[in-house]
Amino acid sequence: MNKLRQSFRRKKDVYVPEASRPHQWQTDEEGVRTGKCSFPVKYLGHVEVDESRGMHICEDAVKRLKAERKFFKGFFGKTGKKAVKAVLWVSADGLRVVDEKTKDLIVDQTIEKVSFCAPDRNFDRAFSYICRDGTTRRWICHCFMAVKDTGERLSHAVGCAFA
């Protein structure tokens, strides 16, 4: 009877963390070296931060941008702030974010100015990095939501760019 009951239950997918799937990321490492590594993302925006490192700093920035977006959406109705659909290009030289529709360059960041990058522990698809702004010399955190991949994979690709 117990076997019959278990056969009707839904089988849960066994979760395999991204870190244990390095065979999927080897193509990313080669793509970073050749400059052909790209990811579809939603660019949430950027926030000025106090420190140059720390996962908690990046996570707070993502929370702030998501809350700000929710506030504007509730306040202005349908005309709220939307995340921009874009493509994140990762190469050994730097990071480029290009608007998917207009093909405008949103962010062009040299890899030397990036001080920290991390996936978000609260949102599976979130990824952010901290860099030094060239003109104001302040620390800025740029935040993204991956469309097809996880934030962990994007973080790994940016880590490969440092190597």
Side-chain angles (χ1 to χ4, degrees), residues 50-159:
D50 299 330
E51 298 176 38
S52 64
R53 296 186 178 282
M55 265 183 120
H56 62 284
I57 302 292
C58 292
E59 288 168 358
D60 288 345
V62 171
K63 278 183 193 172
R64 250 194 298 179
L65 286 170
K66 285 183 81 61
E68 181 180 299
R69 204 170 88 208
K70 193 179 276 187
F71 169 76
F72 278 113
K73 190 174 181 182
F75 193 67
F76 294 114
K78 292 183 180 178
T79 61
K81 258 185 156 181
K82 283 191 171 180
V84 179
K85 288 185 179 179
V87 178
L88 172 67
W89 290 89
V90 182
S91 69
D93 297 332
L95 307 172
R96 286 194 174 93
V97 182
V98 179
D99 191 324
E100 197 174 81
K101 284 184 183 176
T102 63
K103 305 296 184 212
D104 288 340
L105 188 65
I106 299 171
V107 178
D108 188 14
Q109 189 69 54
T110 59
I111 205 73
E112 291 87 24
K113 294 202 175 172
V114 175
S115 65
F116 186 78
C117 71
D120 201 301
R121 291 178 288 200
N122 302 321
F123 303 101
D124 191 38
R125 295 183 181 271
F127 160 76
S128 53
Y129 71 88
I130 301 173
C131 64
R132 177 77 86 172
D133 187 35
T135 54
T136 61
R137 307 292 295 155
R138 295 180 178 162
W139 295 110
I140 305 284
C141 184
H142 293 272
C143 303
F144 305 90
M145 284 297 227
V147 174
K148 295 179 182 175
D149 299 305
T150 61
E152 205 171 334
R153 184 171 182 181
L154 272 66
S155 180
H156 180 263
V158 174

Side-chain angles (χ1 to χ4, degrees), residues 2-76:
N2 195 18
K3 283 187 178 184
L4 179 66
R5 189 179 315 155
Q6 286 178 347
S7 68
F8 287 117
R9 289 189 181 161
R10 266 192 195 172
K11 305 272 191 280
K12 290 184 180 179
D13 292 333
V14 177
Y15 175 73
V16 179
E18 286 285 331
S20 65
R21 296 186 242 173
H23 61 280
Q24 291 180 334
W25 293 352
Q26 287 175 351
T27 55
D28 294 344
E29 292 176 23
E30 294 167 14
V32 167
R33 278 187 241 121
T34 59
K36 296 179 182 178
C37 187
S38 65
F39 300 98
V41 294
K42 287 185 179 179
Y43 180 61
L44 298 177
H46 64 277
V47 175
E48 185 179 335
V49 292
D50 299 330
E51 298 176 38
S52 64
R53 296 186 178 282
M55 265 183 120
H56 62 284
I57 302 292
C58 292
E59 288 168 358
D60 288 345
V62 171
K63 278 183 193 172
R64 250 194 298 179
L65 286 170
K66 285 183 81 61
E68 181 180 299
R69 204 170 88 208
K70 193 179 276 187
F71 169 76
F72 278 113
K73 190 174 181 182
F75 193 67
F76 294 114

